[in-house]
């Protein structure tokens, strides 16, 4: 192998062998590909998918093999096979290398544009015949399209080299008509994992080489459409839409529903229904040239920056968005259409109205779905150079003119490919790439090419190149200040609208604080919403670990489970965070006015309420006792009305806790959910419950090593509870520990406030329980203890008082902190073990998990589940599964009533086991079900990348008293 001594590939003298792979380290975007253009499916021109099984050979270096495999007649019979689209590291059961996860660190030495000698290189070979109905080879031409190849590819057809390209998540096309044969076409593609392009693709995700999107052969008849640009604007004053389709091959444009039949390039104005994400009205049209007909899906809408706001069709938009990486737990970023559709459906069903395609243009079909179902899109360029932050951004490619052609190529490939999607309202230059001339060049090019959309980039707070001020993970307080225009900032920025392109880091259990953000977004016009980080956990299905994350493939550098920070678990199960988000961003507000009326507010930006029906139900002790429809006027966007509720039903059980639930549901089956799907709801309490209490009627009696009190038995020496009626109870005592969440654990760059570190330093995970006294009183058993960690002076004086009326037994716990407590507690309550428990019924918050700053979606009602189903299987195990505001719960033969309401958790392992587990599969159910009844829980926050819990969600050590009444139900 040759050894080169100088750095820049283009000027290096080298042997022929190495020169043959110089393109890999060349900063230019490549050679041979056609100019970028709109991505579309023709109505009549043929196309042939080359997806499927390809022959595959993996080499460890870029130059290990010559290009003879590309020649006609090469025998690849002994090669392996891979599926295209796909990533080779996710195929072959480890035989083809493995994925690498890093957040921002380059997994190779930073010496741009050089890449390591060890450069996994996959040769892909596919032989294909033209289908019988393929037109004559003399009829026009053909184009070969690659929709996505990571990170650099060189392509040959029938032995002729077509070129090479970089820009992994962008389309590249080659003219191939002159090379095609009817049978036995040999398509050879060499893919290098690392290239100069890798320096531009340092997104926080798995590094996954391969041909991961479609490969298609497109017939291009003579006179076919090449590129076209649909300009479809909407004038909200006149209600007219203006359509002009520019096409580089002349033709006609027809839109039957609008009686439009005009030449390309000619504008036409007609009254239309506009496109918005809430009302995604698309008009079907056709662009016909001499050689081809192309279906158009036209959405009329106008995006502008006006009055310092992002407006669509004259109205400011509030983005309730998510950041979406493309992810499938087995196929990585090779997504099929159904998975893309599932994402869109899940978003719509959870009230999400916007997507940022972090951090690269998605498969184009995804944008088609966004047009169809209605989602605002920030389409982001395939650009991130985050790893240069390690050297204070020195040598950053975006500030180095040599790289500018590559940056402009990426910008053009995104804009040209996606320009005809009405859903795309904002172009984003990329993510975390510092600042520099290259970004300015991209923004200038984009602004000039497309005046109908706005430009976003977060990394430059001066907003030099952008139409909006964008930030990530700013605290509530800062966002509020920005909303009040108190954020300082220089000239241009001051007049710009604000959005959070990332916030509410959804890693593990969380995010907390969503509702608090939403209140701020809704309070200030300038703040136009945000995009939760992120949509889905990028866990990789693994035979022994459940889902793998960073480090599970032996990577030398990795960022662990930071890759699992989504609102969906890897299999697309919605996490409690998504349920919370759905509630927080619901498009209809429902609030009680206290006098038998409810105030309904249409919180949408465009649509009226005519698509929704309203229902009421009246609940007593969590059970619905009456229900019906609620007539609500079809309020226009932004309007509210007070609506009278019916009379409460008669004959309610005495002392019952009662309340109304008003729901807004889809009135009819729609494209993304069926009639009855709940879009929004509100609960209006009427009468409060009567707190449980036990009038002591019996006293404790010691006998034979046991103390009995009513239905309960205790150890006479320790005062420990042994049983309640026939139910054995073990280990009941105060508990302050929780298996720390990713948000408790925080992140390196916020080390000063990492709660789990502070908690562990203090020893809250190893509290000792000192017994001070077991006192048998006339009507109570009192057990006095002090709960404290070794080596520290802080402690919790804890007194357990038991009283019984003969049938039931009440435990009152009173806790008095001693010493100087400077950190909040993870939780405060009691825990105990039950030998057998499975079914769980409770009256309180549900159906899902809730924590102090993520409890908006928790609905008070009567719920049933099982111990197993109470768990949320976060990819990295951590505290989960609490149910909020529980009045009473029944499991394992016990009924437990709380005063006040409590947090209820039950699991088949201890918090300590949960804390120690690294993967789901580390958790083995034991014989005991551990139950936590908590008086308090510390908030969640989103400190794994953003701010911690707000002060009001801190569980500060303070004197507390709480009680539970236990009854054996057996
Ligand atoms: C921010 C990134 O933009 C995103 O890709 C992801 O890494 C996210 O953080 C964390 O999961 S960058 C961070 C330094 C704020």
């Amino acid at each position: 192998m040759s050894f080169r001594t100088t750095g820049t590939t283009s000027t290096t003298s080298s042997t022929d062998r190495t020169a043959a792979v110089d393109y890999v380290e060349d900063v230019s975007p490549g050679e041979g590909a056609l100019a970028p253009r709109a991505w579309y499916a023709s109505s009549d021109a043929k196309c042939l998918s080359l997806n499927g099984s390809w022959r595959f050979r993996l080499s460890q270096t870029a130059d290990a093999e010559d290009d003879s495999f590309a020649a006609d007649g090469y025998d690849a019979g002994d090669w392996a096979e891979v599926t295209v689209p796909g990533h080779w590291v996710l195929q072959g059961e480890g035989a083809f290398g493995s994925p690498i996860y890093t957040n921002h660190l380059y997994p190779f030495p930073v010496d741009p544009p050089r890449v390591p000698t060890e450069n996994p290189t996959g040769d892909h070979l596919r032989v294909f015949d033209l289908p019988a109905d393929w037109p004559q080879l003399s009829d026009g031409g053909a184009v070969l399209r690659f929709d996505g190849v990571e990170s650099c590819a060189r392509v040959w057809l029938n032995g002729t080299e077509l070129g090479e390209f970089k820009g992994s998540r962008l389309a590249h096309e080659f003219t191939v008509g002159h090379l095609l044969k009817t049978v036995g076409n040999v398509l050879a593609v060499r893919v290098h994992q690392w290239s100069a392009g890798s320096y531009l693709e340092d997104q926080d995700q798995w590094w996954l080489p391969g041909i991961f999107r479609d490969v298609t052969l497109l017939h291009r008849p003579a006179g076919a459409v090449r590129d076209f640009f649909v300009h479809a604007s909407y004038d909200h004053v006149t209600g007219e839409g203006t359509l002009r389709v520019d096409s580089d091959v002349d033709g006609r444009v027809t839109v039957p529903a609008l009686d439009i039949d005009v030449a390309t390039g000619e504008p036409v104005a007609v009254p239309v229904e506009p496109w918005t994400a809430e009302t995604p009205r698309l008009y079907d049209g056709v662009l016909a040239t001499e050689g081809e007909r192309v279906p158009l899906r036209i959405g009329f809408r106008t995006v502008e920056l006006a009055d310092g706001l992002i407006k669509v069709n004259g109205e400011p938009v509030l983005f309730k968005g998510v950041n979406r990486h493309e992810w499938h737990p087995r196929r990585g970023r090779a997504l099929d259409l159904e998975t893309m559709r599932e994402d869109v459906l899940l978003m719509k069903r959870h009230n999400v109205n916007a997507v940022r395609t972090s951090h690269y243009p998605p498969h184009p079909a995804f944008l088609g779905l966004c047009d169809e179902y209605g989602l605002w899109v920030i389409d982001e360029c395939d650009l991130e150079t985050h790893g240069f932050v390690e050297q204070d951004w020195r040598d950053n490619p975006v500030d180095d003119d040599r790289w500018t052609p590559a940056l402009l190529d990426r910008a053009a490939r995104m804009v040209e490919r996606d320009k005809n999607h009405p859903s795309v309202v904002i172009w984003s230059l990329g993510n975390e790439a510092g600042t520099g001339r290259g970004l300015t060049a991209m923004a200038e090019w984009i602004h000039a090419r497309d005046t109908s959309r706005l430009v976003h980039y977060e990394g430059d707070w001066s907003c030099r190149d952008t139409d909006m001020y964008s930030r990530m993970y700013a605290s509530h307080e800062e966002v509020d200040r920005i909303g009040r225009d108190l954020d300082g900032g220089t000239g241009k920025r001051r007049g710009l609208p604000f959005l959070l392109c990332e916030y509410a880091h959804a890693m593990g259990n969380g995010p907390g604080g969503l509702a608090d953000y939403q209140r701020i977004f809704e309070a200030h016009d300038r703040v136009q919403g945000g995009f939760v980080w992120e949509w889905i956990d990028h866990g990789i299905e693994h035979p022994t670990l459940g889902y793998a994350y960073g480090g599970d493939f032996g990577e030398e550098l990795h960022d662990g489970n930071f890759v699992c920070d989504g609102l969906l678990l890897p299999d697309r199960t919605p996490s409690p965070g998504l349920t919370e988000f759905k509630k927080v961003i619901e498009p209809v507000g429902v609030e009680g006015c206290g006098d038998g009326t409810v105030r309904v507010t249409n919180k949408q930006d465009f649509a009226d309420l005519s698509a929704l029906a309203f229902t009421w139900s009246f609940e007593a002790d969590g059970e619905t006792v009456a229900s019906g429809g609620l007539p609500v006027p079809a309020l226009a966007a932004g309007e509210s009305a007070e609506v009278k509720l019916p009379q409460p039903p008669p004959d309610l059980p005495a002392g019952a806790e009662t309340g109304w639930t008003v729901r807004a549901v889809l009135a009819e089956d729609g494209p993304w959910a069926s009639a009855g799907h709940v879009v929004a709801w509100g609960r209006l309490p009427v009468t409060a419950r009567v707190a449980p209490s036990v009038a002591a009627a019996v006293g404790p009696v010691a006998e034979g090593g046991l103390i009995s009190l009513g239905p309960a038995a205790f150890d006479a020496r320790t005062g420990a509870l042994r049983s309640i009626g026939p139910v054995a109870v073990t280990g009941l005592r105060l508990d302050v520990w929780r298996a720390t969440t990713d948000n408790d654990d925080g992140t390196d760059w916020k080390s000063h406030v990492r709660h789990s570190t502070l908690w562990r330093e203090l020893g809250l995970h190893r509290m000792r329980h000192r017994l001070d006294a077991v006192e048998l009183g006339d009507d109570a058993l009192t057990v006095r203890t002090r709960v404290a960690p070794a080596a520290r002076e802080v402690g919790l004086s804890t007194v357990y008082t038991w009283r019984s009326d003969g049938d039931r037994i009440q435990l009152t716990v009173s806790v008095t902190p001693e010493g100087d407590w400077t950190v909040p507690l993870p939780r405060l309550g009691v825990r105990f073990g039950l030998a057998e428990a499975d079914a769980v019924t409770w009256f309180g918050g549900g159906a899902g998990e809730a924590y102090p700053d993520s409890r908006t979606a928790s609905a008070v009602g009567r719920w049933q589940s099982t111990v197993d189903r109470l768990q949320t299987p976060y990819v990295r195990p951590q505290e989960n599964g609490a149910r909020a505001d529980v009045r009473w719960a029944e499991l394992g033969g016990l009924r437990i009533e709380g005063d006040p309401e409590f947090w209820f958790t039950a699991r088949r392992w201890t918090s300590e086991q949960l804390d120690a587990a690294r993967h789901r599969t580390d958790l083995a159910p034991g014989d005991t079900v551990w139950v936590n009844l908590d008086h308090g829980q510390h908030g969640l926050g989103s400190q794994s990348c953003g701010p911690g819990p707000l002060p009001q969600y801190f569980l500060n050590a303070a004197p507390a008293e709480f009680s539970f009444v236990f009854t054996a139900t057996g």
Side-chain angles (χ1 to χ4, degrees), residues 81-399:
E81 289 181 40
V82 289
T83 299
V84 170
H87 306 278
W88 68 72
V89 292
L90 296 182
Q91 304 186 47
E93 292 176 2
F96 307 144
S98 18
I100 299 170
Y101 167 57
T102 57
N103 167 12
H104 76 279
L105 298 177
Y106 288 104
F108 48 79
V110 180
D111 182 22
R114 303 294 312 275
V115 296
T117 302
E118 299 132 88
N119 187 357
T121 292
D123 288 333
H124 295 68
L125 204 58
R126 161 99 198 224
V127 179
F128 64 93
D129 299 340
L130 295 178
D133 62 352
W134 193 267
Q136 294 291 313
L137 290 177
S138 56
D139 172 5
V143 158
L144 177 66
R145 184 175 70 202
F146 293 90
D147 285 321
V149 182
E150 181 169 328
S151 79
C152 171
R154 187 175 176 194
V155 189
W156 297 260
L157 182 66
N158 293 329
T160 299
E161 180 169 354
L162 301 177
E164 31 83 15
F165 63 89
K166 307 181 189 84
S168 298
R169 296 100 199 182
L170 293 161
H172 294 85
E173 293 179 317
F174 297 93
T175 303
V176 294
H178 59 296
L179 299 173
L180 281 179
K181 304 188 288 190
T182 313
V183 293
N185 293 287
V186 179
L187 176 55
V189 187
R190 171 163 289 171
V191 182
H192 307 284
Q193 171 153 24
W194 309 121
S195 69
S198 306
Y199 283 97
L200 304 181
E201 295 172 6
D202 191 25
Q203 293 95 345
D204 174 10
Q205 60 179 347
W206 295 97
W207 298 89
L208 295 175
I211 306 175
F212 72 98
R213 286 188 192 152
D214 310 290
V215 183
T216 316
L217 181 69
L218 306 161
H219 179 234
R220 302 283 69 221
V225 171
R226 203 194 76 80
D227 190 17
F228 62 97
F229 197 161
V230 175
H231 302 277
S233 57
Y234 179 72
D235 183 331
H236 65 278
V237 178
T238 62
E240 279 195 341
T242 302
L243 176 67
R244 190 187 82 231
V245 179
D246 293 336
S247 168
D248 47 10
V249 172
D250 290 344
R252 287 203 79 74
V253 177
T254 49
V255 186
L258 295 173
D259 274 336
I260 289 176
D261 183 350
V262 289
T264 51
E266 204 176 288
V268 53
V270 287
V272 296
E273 291 169 40
W275 188 96
T276 72
E278 294 166 8
T279 55
R281 177 68 163 104
L282 291 175
Y283 289 92
D284 287 326
V286 176
L287 163 61
T289 59
E290 194 193 324
E292 181 180 27
R293 290 161 55 82
V294 173
L296 305 176
R297 305 201 81 189
I298 303 163
F300 292 87
R301 49 120 193 84
T302 292
V303 185
E304 60 180 339
L305 190 62
D307 311 319
L309 298 172
I310 301 167
K311 293 190 180 178
V312 180
N313 304 337
E315 291 296 329
V317 171
L318 186 60
F319 295 107
K320 301 166 176 179
V322 292
N323 279 280
R324 173 183 181 266
H325 265 287
E326 294 181 309
W327 190 249
H328 185 281
R330 282 190 301 282
R331 297 192 297 272
R333 290 188 284 276
L335 295 200
D336 57 309
L337 185 65
E338 280 326 296
T339 305
M340 297 182 220
R341 191 186 304 275
E342 204 181 331
D343 277 347
V344 171
L345 293 177
L346 281 164
M347 288 177 194
K348 293 295 290 185
R349 290 174 189 156
H350 288 89
N351 296 332
V352 169
N353 75 359
V355 195
R356 172 176 178 232
T357 70
S358 52
H359 298 303
Y360 41 81
H363 189 291
F366 178 75
L367 299 175
L369 296 168
C370 294
D371 296 341
E372 183 181 332
Y373 292 95
L375 288 166
W376 307 115
V377 177
I378 299 184
D379 195 355
E380 188 150 277
C381 198
D382 192 3
L383 173 64
E384 175 158 343
T385 61
H386 205 164
F388 285 87
V389 72
E390 295 289 313
Q391 55 201 59
D392 289 333
W393 298 104
R394 198 173 3 86
D395 295 336
N396 184 3
V398 309
D399 202 22

Side-chain angles (χ1 to χ4, degrees), residues 13 93 101 253 363 461 480 517 587 636 645 686 714 720 746 763 911 913:
S13 66
E93 292 176 2
Y101 167 57
V253 177
H363 189 291
W461 297 0
D480 188 59
Y517 271 115
L645 290 164
V686 179
F714 301 82
S911 294
Q913 288 164 334

Side-chain angles (χ1 to χ4, degrees), residues 101 103-104 202-205 323 325 356 358-359 380 384 386 431-432 458 472-473 501-502 505 507 533-534 562-563 565 749 944-946:
Y101 167 57
N103 167 12
H104 76 279
D202 191 25
Q203 293 95 345
D204 174 10
Q205 60 179 347
N323 279 280
H325 265 287
R356 172 176 178 232
S358 52
H359 298 303
E380 188 150 277
E384 175 158 343
H386 205 164
N431 184 58
E432 292 281 9
E458 188 273 346
M472 45 174 77
Y473 308 106
C501 68
E502 295 177 24
H505 201 246
M507 186 176 180
W533 187 268
E534 67 177 304
F562 204 63
V563 78
D565 52 2
W749 64 88
S944 49
C945 192

